[in-house]
mmCIF file of all heavy atoms in Angstrom:
data_model
loop_
_atom_site.group_PDB
_atom_site.id
_atom_site.type_symbol
_atom_site.label_atom_id
_atom_site.label_comp_id
_atom_site.label_asym_id
_atom_site.label_seq_id
_atom_site.Cartn_x
_atom_site.Cartn_y
_atom_site.Cartn_z
ATOM 1 N N SER K 1282 42.020 14.403 3.968
ATOM 2 C CA SER K 1282 43.076 15.045 4.769
ATOM 3 C C SER K 1282 44.544 14.813 4.134
ATOM 4 O O SER K 1282 45.453 15.449 4.531
ATOM 5 C CB SER K 1282 43.175 14.521 6.129
ATOM 6 O OG SER K 1282 43.168 13.127 6.177
ATOM 7 N N ASP K 1283 44.483 13.835 3.104
ATOM 8 C CA ASP K 1283 45.895 13.773 2.436
ATOM 9 C C ASP K 1283 45.753 14.294 1.042
ATOM 10 O O ASP K 1283 46.608 14.058 0.074
ATOM 11 C CB ASP K 1283 46.213 12.243 2.373
ATOM 12 C CG ASP K 1283 45.138 11.425 1.725
ATOM 13 O OD1 ASP K 1283 44.038 12.031 1.337
ATOM 14 O OD2 ASP K 1283 45.453 10.151 1.536
ATOM 15 N N CYS K 1284 44.918 15.273 0.809
ATOM 16 C CA CYS K 1284 44.784 16.061 -0.450
ATOM 17 C C CYS K 1284 45.342 17.466 -0.154
ATOM 18 O O CYS K 1284 45.218 18.061 0.886
ATOM 19 C CB CYS K 1284 43.445 16.114 -0.979
ATOM 20 S SG CYS K 1284 42.854 14.574 -1.816
ATOM 21 N N MET K 1285 45.997 18.032 -1.145
ATOM 22 C CA MET K 1285 46.355 19.401 -1.158
ATOM 23 C C MET K 1285 45.800 20.172 -2.329
ATOM 24 O O MET K 1285 45.953 19.781 -3.394
ATOM 25 C CB MET K 1285 47.963 19.529 -1.063
ATOM 26 C CG MET K 1285 48.401 18.863 0.121
ATOM 27 S SD MET K 1285 50.154 19.110 0.446
ATOM 28 C CE MET K 1285 50.198 20.799 0.884
ATOM 29 N N LEU K 1286 45.257 21.391 -2.053
ATOM 30 C CA LEU K 1286 44.476 22.100 -3.064
ATOM 31 C C LEU K 1286 45.252 23.374 -3.427
ATOM 32 O O LEU K 1286 45.807 24.099 -2.557
ATOM 33 C CB LEU K 1286 43.091 22.586 -2.329
ATOM 34 C CG LEU K 1286 42.104 23.205 -3.209
ATOM 35 C CD1 LEU K 1286 41.691 22.386 -4.267
ATOM 36 C CD2 LEU K 1286 40.890 23.539 -2.307
ATOM 37 N N TYR K 1287 45.363 23.527 -4.674
ATOM 38 C CA TYR K 1287 46.142 24.580 -5.373
ATOM 39 C C TYR K 1287 45.347 25.582 -6.144
ATOM 40 O O TYR K 1287 45.957 26.334 -6.998
ATOM 41 C CB TYR K 1287 47.298 24.018 -6.092
ATOM 42 C CG TYR K 1287 48.264 23.154 -5.313
ATOM 43 C CD1 TYR K 1287 48.038 21.787 -5.389
ATOM 44 C CD2 TYR K 1287 49.234 23.729 -4.530
ATOM 45 C CE1 TYR K 1287 49.014 20.972 -4.485
ATOM 46 C CE2 TYR K 1287 50.069 22.925 -3.693
ATOM 47 C CZ TYR K 1287 49.870 21.582 -3.757
ATOM 48 O OH TYR K 1287 50.719 20.747 -3.052
ATOM 49 N N THR K 1288 44.060 25.593 -6.001
ATOM 50 C CA THR K 1288 43.230 26.477 -6.813
ATOM 51 C C THR K 1288 41.980 27.047 -6.116
ATOM 52 O O THR K 1288 41.780 26.460 -5.091
ATOM 53 C CB THR K 1288 42.704 25.780 -8.013
ATOM 54 O OG1 THR K 1288 42.037 26.693 -9.046
ATOM 55 C CG2 THR K 1288 41.579 24.767 -7.740
ATOM 56 N N ASP K 1289 41.453 28.089 -6.467
ATOM 57 C CA ASP K 1289 40.184 28.669 -5.921
ATOM 58 C C ASP K 1289 39.080 27.704 -6.240
ATOM 59 O O ASP K 1289 38.715 27.640 -7.449
ATOM 60 C CB ASP K 1289 39.868 30.006 -6.369
ATOM 61 C CG ASP K 1289 38.731 30.735 -5.764
ATOM 62 O OD1 ASP K 1289 38.100 30.092 -5.023
ATOM 63 O OD2 ASP K 1289 38.445 31.883 -6.038
ATOM 64 N N ILE K 1290 38.638 26.989 -5.218
ATOM 65 C CA ILE K 1290 37.628 26.000 -5.538
ATOM 66 C C ILE K 1290 36.208 26.575 -5.693
ATOM 67 O O ILE K 1290 35.276 25.951 -6.123
ATOM 68 C CB ILE K 1290 37.498 25.000 -4.215
ATOM 69 C CG1 ILE K 1290 36.822 23.732 -4.797
ATOM 70 C CG2 ILE K 1290 36.873 25.635 -3.159
ATOM 71 C CD1 ILE K 1290 37.613 22.916 -5.812
ATOM 72 N N ASN K 1291 36.127 27.977 -5.547
ATOM 73 C CA ASN K 1291 34.759 28.640 -5.778
ATOM 74 C C ASN K 1291 34.579 28.983 -7.296
ATOM 75 O O ASN K 1291 33.628 29.489 -7.589
ATOM 76 C CB ASN K 1291 34.800 29.882 -4.862
ATOM 77 C CG ASN K 1291 34.586 29.521 -3.429
ATOM 78 O OD1 ASN K 1291 33.533 29.372 -2.940
ATOM 79 N ND2 ASN K 1291 35.630 29.635 -2.781
ATOM 80 N N ASN K 1292 35.693 28.721 -8.055
ATOM 81 C CA ASN K 1292 35.433 28.935 -9.536
ATOM 82 C C ASN K 1292 34.289 28.074 -9.998
ATOM 83 O O ASN K 1292 34.261 26.892 -9.845
ATOM 84 C CB ASN K 1292 36.826 28.410 -10.165
ATOM 85 C CG ASN K 1292 36.766 28.811 -11.694
ATOM 86 O OD1 ASN K 1292 35.796 28.751 -12.379
ATOM 87 N ND2 ASN K 1292 37.961 28.922 -12.301
ATOM 88 N N PRO K 1293 33.317 28.626 -10.605
ATOM 89 C CA PRO K 1293 32.202 27.862 -11.075
ATOM 90 C C PRO K 1293 32.433 26.765 -11.978
ATOM 91 O O PRO K 1293 31.675 25.771 -12.103
ATOM 92 C CB PRO K 1293 31.156 28.992 -11.668
ATOM 93 C CG PRO K 1293 31.761 30.362 -11.239
ATOM 94 C CD PRO K 1293 33.248 30.105 -10.788
ATOM 95 N N THR K 1294 33.584 26.871 -12.713
ATOM 96 C CA THR K 1294 33.915 25.817 -13.622
ATOM 97 C C THR K 1294 34.047 24.491 -12.803
ATOM 98 O O THR K 1294 33.876 23.320 -13.507
ATOM 99 C CB THR K 1294 35.309 26.205 -14.317
ATOM 100 O OG1 THR K 1294 35.269 27.409 -14.913
ATOM 101 C CG2 THR K 1294 35.838 25.002 -15.203
ATOM 102 N N TYR K 1295 34.408 24.474 -11.657
ATOM 103 C CA TYR K 1295 34.675 23.244 -10.795
ATOM 104 C C TYR K 1295 33.400 22.729 -9.975
ATOM 105 O O TYR K 1295 33.514 21.902 -9.195
ATOM 106 C CB TYR K 1295 35.793 23.505 -9.862
ATOM 107 C CG TYR K 1295 37.016 24.012 -10.606
ATOM 108 C CD1 TYR K 1295 37.845 24.916 -10.090
ATOM 109 C CD2 TYR K 1295 37.458 23.378 -11.886
ATOM 110 C CE1 TYR K 1295 39.011 25.359 -10.792
ATOM 111 C CE2 TYR K 1295 38.585 24.052 -12.478
ATOM 112 C CZ TYR K 1295 39.307 24.903 -11.950
ATOM 113 O OH TYR K 1295 40.314 25.291 -12.526
ATOM 114 N N ASN K 1296 32.246 23.436 -10.191
ATOM 115 C CA ASN K 1296 31.125 23.019 -9.462
ATOM 116 C C ASN K 1296 30.688 21.501 -9.600
ATOM 117 O O ASN K 1296 29.989 21.030 -8.725
ATOM 118 C CB ASN K 1296 30.003 24.009 -9.829
ATOM 119 C CG ASN K 1296 29.916 25.213 -9.006
ATOM 120 O OD1 ASN K 1296 30.725 25.349 -8.086
ATOM 121 N ND2 ASN K 1296 29.131 26.165 -9.560
ATOM 122 N N SER K 1297 31.052 20.934 -10.638
ATOM 123 C CA SER K 1297 30.668 19.510 -11.006
ATOM 124 C C SER K 1297 31.549 18.484 -10.445
ATOM 125 O O SER K 1297 31.315 17.245 -10.607
ATOM 126 C CB SER K 1297 30.441 19.291 -12.458
ATOM 127 O OG SER K 1297 31.653 19.606 -13.184
ATOM 128 N N ILE K 1298 32.661 18.881 -9.855
ATOM 129 C CA ILE K 1298 33.711 17.824 -9.168
ATOM 130 C C ILE K 1298 32.928 17.133 -8.198
ATOM 131 O O ILE K 1298 32.418 17.769 -7.214
ATOM 132 C CB ILE K 1298 34.975 18.594 -8.764
ATOM 133 C CG1 ILE K 1298 35.601 19.393 -9.828
ATOM 134 C CG2 ILE K 1298 35.765 17.578 -8.158
ATOM 135 C CD1 ILE K 1298 36.625 20.214 -9.286
ATOM 136 N N GLN K 1299 33.096 15.816 -8.167
ATOM 137 C CA GLN K 1299 32.589 15.026 -7.114
ATOM 138 C C GLN K 1299 33.183 13.623 -7.053
ATOM 139 O O GLN K 1299 33.063 12.654 -7.845
ATOM 140 C CB GLN K 1299 31.038 14.809 -7.359
ATOM 141 C CG GLN K 1299 30.327 14.551 -6.037
ATOM 142 C CD GLN K 1299 28.811 14.662 -6.137
ATOM 143 O OE1 GLN K 1299 28.166 13.709 -6.371
ATOM 144 N NE2 GLN K 1299 28.249 15.780 -5.904
ATOM 145 N N ALA K 1300 34.051 13.428 -6.112
ATOM 146 C CA ALA K 1300 34.680 12.157 -5.768
ATOM 147 C C ALA K 1300 34.828 12.001 -4.303
ATOM 148 O O ALA K 1300 34.605 13.021 -3.534
ATOM 149 C CB ALA K 1300 36.182 12.257 -6.367
ATOM 150 N N ASN K 1301 35.258 10.907 -3.857
ATOM 151 C CA ASN K 1301 35.247 10.718 -2.489
ATOM 152 C C ASN K 1301 36.396 11.347 -1.745
ATOM 153 O O ASN K 1301 36.614 11.395 -0.543
ATOM 154 C CB ASN K 1301 35.166 9.242 -2.012
ATOM 155 C CG ASN K 1301 36.363 8.484 -2.419
ATOM 156 O OD1 ASN K 1301 36.966 8.707 -3.415
ATOM 157 N ND2 ASN K 1301 36.845 7.494 -1.616
ATOM 158 N N TRP K 1302 37.532 11.783 -2.523
ATOM 159 C CA TRP K 1302 38.659 12.527 -1.910
ATOM 160 C C TRP K 1302 38.595 14.082 -2.183
ATOM 161 O O TRP K 1302 39.231 14.727 -1.463
ATOM 162 C CB TRP K 1302 39.963 11.965 -2.573
ATOM 163 C CG TRP K 1302 40.092 12.206 -4.086
ATOM 164 C CD1 TRP K 1302 40.609 13.112 -4.705
ATOM 165 C CD2 TRP K 1302 39.551 11.177 -5.050
ATOM 166 N NE1 TRP K 1302 40.540 13.062 -6.019
ATOM 167 C CE2 TRP K 1302 39.890 11.758 -6.315
ATOM 168 C CE3 TRP K 1302 38.973 9.903 -4.968
ATOM 169 C CZ2 TRP K 1302 39.598 11.141 -7.398
ATOM 170 C CZ3 TRP K 1302 38.729 9.264 -6.241
ATOM 171 C CH2 TRP K 1302 38.954 9.843 -7.410
ATOM 172 N N ILE K 1303 37.921 14.455 -3.121
ATOM 173 C CA ILE K 1303 37.567 15.930 -3.360
ATOM 174 C C ILE K 1303 36.216 16.008 -4.018
ATOM 175 O O ILE K 1303 35.982 15.382 -4.955
ATOM 176 C CB ILE K 1303 38.703 16.621 -4.093
ATOM 177 C CG1 ILE K 1303 38.484 18.183 -4.132
ATOM 178 C CG2 ILE K 1303 38.945 15.991 -5.427
ATOM 179 C CD1 ILE K 1303 39.745 18.931 -4.700
ATOM 180 N N GLY K 1304 35.370 17.022 -3.664
ATOM 181 C CA GLY K 1304 34.179 17.250 -4.278
ATOM 182 C C GLY K 1304 33.498 18.301 -3.820
ATOM 183 O O GLY K 1304 33.520 18.796 -2.610
ATOM 184 N N ILE K 1305 32.484 18.875 -4.545
ATOM 185 C CA ILE K 1305 31.590 19.959 -4.275
ATOM 186 C C ILE K 1305 30.241 19.259 -4.052
ATOM 187 O O ILE K 1305 29.669 18.577 -4.867
ATOM 188 C CB ILE K 1305 31.351 20.903 -5.422
ATOM 189 C CG1 ILE K 1305 32.775 21.464 -5.936
ATOM 190 C CG2 ILE K 1305 30.532 22.101 -4.913
ATOM 191 C CD1 ILE K 1305 33.560 22.157 -4.869
ATOM 192 N N PHE K 1306 29.754 19.450 -2.781
ATOM 193 C CA PHE K 1306 28.435 18.743 -2.396
ATOM 194 C C PHE K 1306 27.539 19.728 -1.791
ATOM 195 O O PHE K 1306 27.921 20.550 -0.983
ATOM 196 C CB PHE K 1306 28.734 17.751 -1.286
ATOM 197 C CG PHE K 1306 29.618 16.554 -1.719
ATOM 198 C CD1 PHE K 1306 31.000 16.471 -1.731
ATOM 199 C CD2 PHE K 1306 28.936 15.412 -2.298
ATOM 200 C CE1 PHE K 1306 31.686 15.502 -2.022
ATOM 201 C CE2 PHE K 1306 29.681 14.326 -2.645
ATOM 202 C CZ PHE K 1306 31.011 14.354 -2.550
ATOM 203 N N ASN K 1307 26.318 19.723 -2.373
ATOM 204 C CA ASN K 1307 25.245 20.483 -1.711
ATOM 205 C C ASN K 1307 24.420 19.691 -0.853
ATOM 206 O O ASN K 1307 24.498 18.398 -0.824
ATOM 207 C CB ASN K 1307 24.307 21.148 -2.809
ATOM 208 C CG ASN K 1307 23.497 20.211 -3.552
ATOM 209 O OD1 ASN K 1307 22.722 19.466 -2.993
ATOM 210 N ND2 ASN K 1307 23.520 20.155 -4.862
ATOM 211 N N ILE K 1308 23.715 20.368 0.146
ATOM 212 C CA ILE K 1308 23.186 19.641 1.155
ATOM 213 C C ILE K 1308 22.049 18.610 0.772
ATOM 214 O O ILE K 1308 21.980 17.568 1.322
ATOM 215 C CB ILE K 1308 22.633 20.650 2.309
ATOM 216 C CG1 ILE K 1308 22.150 19.820 3.519
ATOM 217 C CG2 ILE K 1308 21.509 21.432 1.670
ATOM 218 C CD1 ILE K 1308 23.358 19.050 4.249
ATOM 219 N N ASN K 1309 21.388 18.831 -0.327
ATOM 220 C CA ASN K 1309 20.262 17.985 -0.795
ATOM 221 C C ASN K 1309 20.966 16.638 -1.320
ATOM 222 O O ASN K 1309 20.442 15.528 -0.990
ATOM 223 C CB ASN K 1309 19.389 18.529 -1.717
ATOM 224 C CG ASN K 1309 18.575 19.709 -1.272
ATOM 225 O OD1 ASN K 1309 18.228 19.738 -0.072
ATOM 226 N ND2 ASN K 1309 18.353 20.823 -2.023
ATOM 227 N N GLU K 1310 21.963 16.797 -2.174
ATOM 228 C CA GLU K 1310 22.566 15.565 -2.708
ATOM 229 C C GLU K 1310 23.318 14.828 -1.643
ATOM 230 O O GLU K 1310 23.309 13.600 -1.715
ATOM 231 C CB GLU K 1310 23.411 15.910 -3.931
ATOM 232 C CG GLU K 1310 24.611 16.739 -3.800
ATOM 233 C CD GLU K 1310 25.179 17.221 -4.993
ATOM 234 O OE1 GLU K 1310 24.785 16.597 -6.069
ATOM 235 O OE2 GLU K 1310 26.161 17.924 -4.937
ATOM 236 N N LEU K 1311 23.944 15.532 -0.810
ATOM 237 C CA LEU K 1311 24.553 14.875 0.286
ATOM 238 C C LEU K 1311 23.672 14.070 1.202
ATOM 239 O O LEU K 1311 23.863 12.942 1.685
ATOM 240 C CB LEU K 1311 25.413 15.824 1.244
ATOM 241 C CG LEU K 1311 26.343 15.215 2.229
ATOM 242 C CD1 LEU K 1311 27.423 14.419 1.617
ATOM 243 C CD2 LEU K 1311 26.979 16.456 2.920
ATOM 244 N N ASN K 1312 22.411 14.697 1.473
ATOM 245 C CA ASN K 1312 21.379 13.983 2.155
ATOM 246 C C ASN K 1312 20.990 12.737 1.505
ATOM 247 O O ASN K 1312 20.747 11.613 2.107
ATOM 248 C CB ASN K 1312 20.202 14.886 2.555
ATOM 249 C CG ASN K 1312 19.286 14.236 3.493
ATOM 250 O OD1 ASN K 1312 19.509 13.927 4.648
ATOM 251 N ND2 ASN K 1312 18.102 14.133 3.027
ATOM 252 N N ASN K 1313 20.774 12.878 0.210
ATOM 253 C CA ASN K 1313 20.366 11.742 -0.654
ATOM 254 C C ASN K 1313 21.411 10.673 -0.719
ATOM 255 O O ASN K 1313 21.204 9.458 -0.762
ATOM 256 C CB ASN K 1313 20.048 12.189 -2.148
ATOM 257 C CG ASN K 1313 18.765 12.911 -2.180
ATOM 258 O OD1 ASN K 1313 17.946 12.797 -1.288
ATOM 259 N ND2 ASN K 1313 18.733 13.907 -3.204
ATOM 260 N N PHE K 1314 22.688 11.031 -0.633
ATOM 261 C CA PHE K 1314 23.750 10.094 -0.647
ATOM 262 C C PHE K 1314 23.878 9.292 0.696
ATOM 263 O O PHE K 1314 23.993 8.023 0.688
ATOM 264 C CB PHE K 1314 25.173 10.725 -0.918
ATOM 265 C CG PHE K 1314 26.327 9.846 -0.923
ATOM 266 C CD1 PHE K 1314 26.301 8.580 -1.759
ATOM 267 C CD2 PHE K 1314 27.408 10.090 -0.280
ATOM 268 C CE1 PHE K 1314 27.309 7.742 -1.913
ATOM 269 C CE2 PHE K 1314 28.527 9.150 -0.350
ATOM 270 C CZ PHE K 1314 28.463 8.083 -1.068
ATOM 271 N N CYS K 1315 23.530 10.019 1.802
ATOM 272 C CA CYS K 1315 23.531 9.307 3.117
ATOM 273 C C CYS K 1315 22.523 8.254 3.107
ATOM 274 O O CYS K 1315 22.652 7.081 3.600
ATOM 275 C CB CYS K 1315 23.481 10.224 4.198
ATOM 276 S SG CYS K 1315 24.879 11.301 4.434
ATOM 277 N N LEU K 1316 21.264 8.693 2.555
ATOM 278 C CA LEU K 1316 20.113 7.797 2.473
ATOM 279 C C LEU K 1316 20.409 6.492 1.582
ATOM 280 O O LEU K 1316 20.108 5.441 1.910
ATOM 281 C CB LEU K 1316 18.855 8.408 1.961
ATOM 282 C CG LEU K 1316 18.201 9.490 2.959
ATOM 283 C CD1 LEU K 1316 17.205 10.282 2.260
ATOM 284 C CD2 LEU K 1316 17.753 8.873 4.185
ATOM 285 N N PHE K 1317 21.163 6.796 0.421
ATOM 286 C CA PHE K 1317 21.642 5.838 -0.406
ATOM 287 C C PHE K 1317 22.419 4.858 0.342
ATOM 288 O O PHE K 1317 22.361 3.584 0.132
ATOM 289 C CB PHE K 1317 22.385 6.578 -1.612
ATOM 290 C CG PHE K 1317 22.691 5.669 -2.799
ATOM 291 C CD1 PHE K 1317 21.740 5.471 -3.700
ATOM 292 C CD2 PHE K 1317 23.962 5.284 -2.916
ATOM 293 C CE1 PHE K 1317 22.010 4.701 -4.788
ATOM 294 C CE2 PHE K 1317 24.247 4.475 -4.055
ATOM 295 C CZ PHE K 1317 23.288 4.169 -5.082
ATOM 296 N N ILE K 1318 23.481 5.294 1.043
ATOM 297 C CA ILE K 1318 24.428 4.414 1.846
ATOM 298 C C ILE K 1318 23.520 3.505 2.769
ATOM 299 O O ILE K 1318 23.663 2.288 2.857
ATOM 300 C CB ILE K 1318 25.493 5.245 2.496
ATOM 301 C CG1 ILE K 1318 26.399 5.935 1.630
ATOM 302 C CG2 ILE K 1318 26.218 4.337 3.466
ATOM 303 C CD1 ILE K 1318 27.375 6.960 2.121
ATOM 304 N N GLN K 1319 22.746 4.041 3.503
ATOM 305 C CA GLN K 1319 21.918 3.489 4.558
ATOM 306 C C GLN K 1319 21.066 2.392 3.900
ATOM 307 O O GLN K 1319 20.909 1.332 4.359
ATOM 308 C CB GLN K 1319 20.948 4.458 5.288
ATOM 309 C CG GLN K 1319 20.309 3.954 6.412
ATOM 310 C CD GLN K 1319 21.039 3.611 7.650
ATOM 311 O OE1 GLN K 1319 21.948 4.316 7.957
ATOM 312 N NE2 GLN K 1319 20.743 2.325 8.167
ATOM 313 N N ASN K 1320 20.464 2.805 2.845
ATOM 314 C CA ASN K 1320 19.566 1.737 2.159
ATOM 315 C C ASN K 1320 20.385 0.624 1.640
ATOM 316 O O ASN K 1320 19.882 -0.535 1.646
ATOM 317 C CB ASN K 1320 18.670 2.553 1.064
ATOM 318 C CG ASN K 1320 17.752 3.421 1.531
ATOM 319 O OD1 ASN K 1320 17.383 3.314 2.661
ATOM 320 N ND2 ASN K 1320 17.333 4.491 0.789
ATOM 321 N N TYR K 1321 21.433 0.917 1.008
ATOM 322 C CA TYR K 1321 22.254 -0.230 0.377
ATOM 323 C C TYR K 1321 22.777 -1.223 1.439
ATOM 324 O O TYR K 1321 22.764 -2.421 1.212
ATOM 325 C CB TYR K 1321 23.388 0.285 -0.453
ATOM 326 C CG TYR K 1321 23.017 0.327 -1.953
ATOM 327 C CD1 TYR K 1321 22.337 1.336 -2.439
ATOM 328 C CD2 TYR K 1321 23.482 -0.692 -2.774
ATOM 329 C CE1 TYR K 1321 21.919 1.362 -3.793
ATOM 330 C CE2 TYR K 1321 23.035 -0.809 -4.064
ATOM 331 C CZ TYR K 1321 22.377 0.299 -4.679
ATOM 332 O OH TYR K 1321 21.955 0.393 -5.877
ATOM 333 N N PHE K 1322 23.130 -0.753 2.612
ATOM 334 C CA PHE K 1322 23.675 -1.737 3.610
ATOM 335 C C PHE K 1322 22.508 -2.217 4.541
ATOM 336 O O PHE K 1322 22.951 -3.085 5.407
ATOM 337 C CB PHE K 1322 24.769 -0.798 4.552
ATOM 338 C CG PHE K 1322 26.008 -0.814 3.808
ATOM 339 C CD1 PHE K 1322 26.573 0.426 3.301
ATOM 340 C CD2 PHE K 1322 26.967 -1.779 3.791
ATOM 341 C CE1 PHE K 1322 27.745 0.612 2.714
ATOM 342 C CE2 PHE K 1322 28.232 -1.747 3.199
ATOM 343 C CZ PHE K 1322 28.619 -0.493 2.790
ATOM 344 N N SER K 1323 21.317 -1.892 4.287
ATOM 345 C CA SER K 1323 20.167 -2.411 4.944
ATOM 346 C C SER K 1323 19.495 -3.601 4.258
ATOM 347 O O SER K 1323 18.646 -4.166 4.913
ATOM 348 C CB SER K 1323 19.235 -1.259 5.372
ATOM 349 O OG SER K 1323 19.777 -0.253 5.977
ATOM 350 N N ASP K 1324 19.931 -3.775 3.035
ATOM 351 C CA ASP K 1324 19.059 -4.686 2.193
ATOM 352 C C ASP K 1324 20.089 -5.727 1.608
ATOM 353 O O ASP K 1324 20.983 -5.279 0.883
ATOM 354 C CB ASP K 1324 18.219 -3.943 1.165
ATOM 355 C CG ASP K 1324 17.531 -4.907 0.258
ATOM 356 O OD1 ASP K 1324 16.440 -5.496 0.796
ATOM 357 O OD2 ASP K 1324 17.925 -5.030 -0.970
ATOM 358 N N LYS K 1325 19.916 -6.980 1.730
ATOM 359 C CA LYS K 1325 20.732 -8.000 1.209
ATOM 360 C C LYS K 1325 20.720 -7.940 -0.380
ATOM 361 O O LYS K 1325 21.846 -8.023 -0.886
ATOM 362 C CB LYS K 1325 20.183 -9.424 1.639
ATOM 363 C CG LYS K 1325 21.225 -10.518 1.191
ATOM 364 C CD LYS K 1325 20.692 -11.846 1.828
ATOM 365 C CE LYS K 1325 21.678 -13.016 1.423
ATOM 366 N NZ LYS K 1325 21.272 -14.227 1.919
ATOM 367 N N SER K 1326 19.655 -7.831 -1.000
ATOM 368 C CA SER K 1326 19.685 -7.811 -2.499
ATOM 369 C C SER K 1326 20.347 -6.574 -3.005
ATOM 370 O O SER K 1326 21.059 -6.646 -4.040
ATOM 371 C CB SER K 1326 18.269 -7.833 -3.056
ATOM 372 O OG SER K 1326 17.595 -6.730 -2.651
ATOM 373 N N SER K 1327 20.341 -5.410 -2.382
ATOM 374 C CA SER K 1327 21.029 -4.186 -2.652
ATOM 375 C C SER K 1327 22.575 -4.408 -2.459
ATOM 376 O O SER K 1327 23.375 -3.961 -3.325
ATOM 377 C CB SER K 1327 20.588 -3.042 -1.851
ATOM 378 O OG SER K 1327 19.191 -2.710 -2.022
ATOM 379 N N LEU K 1328 22.945 -5.176 -1.499
ATOM 380 C CA LEU K 1328 24.367 -5.444 -1.244
ATOM 381 C C LEU K 1328 24.864 -6.341 -2.344
ATOM 382 O O LEU K 1328 26.025 -6.207 -2.717
ATOM 383 C CB LEU K 1328 24.615 -6.169 0.184
ATOM 384 C CG LEU K 1328 24.583 -5.265 1.444
ATOM 385 C CD1 LEU K 1328 24.641 -6.126 2.606
ATOM 386 C CD2 LEU K 1328 25.633 -4.232 1.390
ATOM 387 N N GLU K 1329 23.950 -7.245 -2.771
ATOM 388 C CA GLU K 1329 24.446 -8.144 -3.840
ATOM 389 C C GLU K 1329 24.753 -7.268 -5.174
ATOM 390 O O GLU K 1329 25.623 -7.469 -5.877
ATOM 391 C CB GLU K 1329 23.440 -9.203 -4.233
ATOM 392 C CG GLU K 1329 23.316 -10.216 -3.037
ATOM 393 C CD GLU K 1329 22.249 -11.151 -3.068
ATOM 394 O OE1 GLU K 1329 21.265 -10.918 -3.854
ATOM 395 O OE2 GLU K 1329 22.237 -12.300 -2.460
#
């Protein structure tokens, strides 16, 4: 919400952008990322 966008984000050149403040996410990798978060915070060795 504190980012401002000055380009057409649908330009295929930018499909690979992925950061936590701006990024292109497809549903499959987003689902995997949520599972990744859940798994890391559920296991002590993963937290280490």
Side-chain angles (χ1 to χ4, degrees):
S1282 56
D1283 57 358
C1284 284
M1285 297 186 74
L1286 188 59
Y1287 299 98
T1288 191
D1289 181 359
I1290 201 64
N1291 291 281
N1292 184 333
T1294 303
Y1295 306 138
N1296 278 347
S1297 58
I1298 298 170
Q1299 203 168 90
N1301 69 321
W1302 60 91
I1303 184 171
I1305 309 301
F1306 292 89
N1307 68 55
I1308 188 61
N1309 291 327
E1310 63 188 355
L1311 189 57
N1312 187 60
N1313 288 336
F1314 183 47
C1315 288
L1316 291 172
F1317 191 79
I1318 295 171
Q1319 183 72 44
N1320 290 338
Y1321 262 83
F1322 281 104
S1323 300
D1324 179 72
K1325 184 176 180 179
S1326 63
S1327 294
L1328 283 177
E1329 290 171 345

